[in-house]
Amino acid sequence: MATDYAAQPSGAENDIRGVLIQVAGGRLLLPNATIAEVLSYAEPDAVAGAPDWLLGRIRWRGWQLPLIAFGRFSGLANERGGLGSKVLVLRALGGSSPVEGRRTPYFALLTQGFPRLVTVSRDTLMTVDDHNALPNGVQARVLLNEDAAFLPDLGAIEDQIGIALAQAQAA
């Protein structure tokens, strides 16, 4: 669930530090607190029978984290990792995400470069309602100042990761 930044009271004390993340097909806006670490891209370990948006698993601090390509997941673009790509380790909502029948507090997201730190306030964020269907895994379209972005539905993404891993394991 993404924070409804537009509903926050105005004033500098209520500003939120966010990050704009470039993915294939667009930008994502997330609270800075959701990012645990930014890593250089390395080819993940494949997950047999997984959907194409689940690129595989990466090793991070003793965890085997699922790595997703948001562009593919959402249907925005055919995203692939490579030179210049980064991996964001994200904190799962509620502290856990289903992975291989157990809970892990993180998952990983492929990005096209470093995230850009931004200040989000009521005065700088607008929800865009263009009456088009939202892509898979997107809670809202927004404008932050002049930057168009998607607010991802992290809860729904985590659920889909859990389903994909369970189906891959059962296959």
Side-chain angles (χ1 to χ4, degrees):
M1 225 163 146
T3 303
D4 183 4
Y5 297 114
Q8 300 292 324
S10 63
E13 69 278 358
N14 294 310
D15 290 350
I16 296 170
R17 296 299 288 167
V19 287
L20 279 173
I21 301 162
Q22 186 68 45
V23 295
R27 284 189 203 98
L28 304 180
L29 176 63
L30 290 170
N32 189 42
T34 60
I35 298 177
E37 193 167 339
V38 179
L39 308 170
S40 293
Y41 175 79
E43 196 66 33
D45 297 329
V47 175
D52 72 342
W53 53 263
L54 181 57
L55 301 176
R57 291 186 189 98
I58 64 166
R59 296 181 201 318
W60 180 74
R61 297 187 184 185
W63 295 97
Q64 288 282 320
L65 304 182
L67 173 62
I68 70 162
F70 188 84
R72 289 183 185 186
F73 179 85
S74 63
L76 293 170
N78 186 14
E79 188 171 27
R80 298 191 183 283
L83 189 61
S85 296
K86 299 295 178 194
V87 173
L88 296 185
V89 176
L90 300 178
R91 291 179 177 86
L93 294 176
S96 62
S97 173
V99 177
E100 295 182 335
R102 62 188 176 121
R103 306 299 280 179
T104 180
Y106 305 97
F107 68 97
L109 177 72
L110 179 68
T111 71
Q112 305 304 312
F114 283 102
R116 180 169 51 112
L117 212 50
V118 293
T119 299
V120 180
S121 69
R122 182 180 192 159
D123 299 334
T124 61
L125 186 69
M126 283 190 331
T127 302
V128 176
D129 184 8
D130 59 7
H131 303 292
N132 291 323
L134 293 172
N136 186 36
V138 172
Q139 186 169 321
R141 284 182 179 92
V142 296
L143 275 176
L144 177 63
N145 295 318
E146 310 260 331
D147 292 316
F150 296 108
L151 290 182
D153 186 341
L154 296 179
I157 293 168
E158 290 170 30
D159 290 345
Q160 289 300 307
I161 291 169
I163 291 167
L165 287 172
Q167 289 174 345
Q169 191 173 22

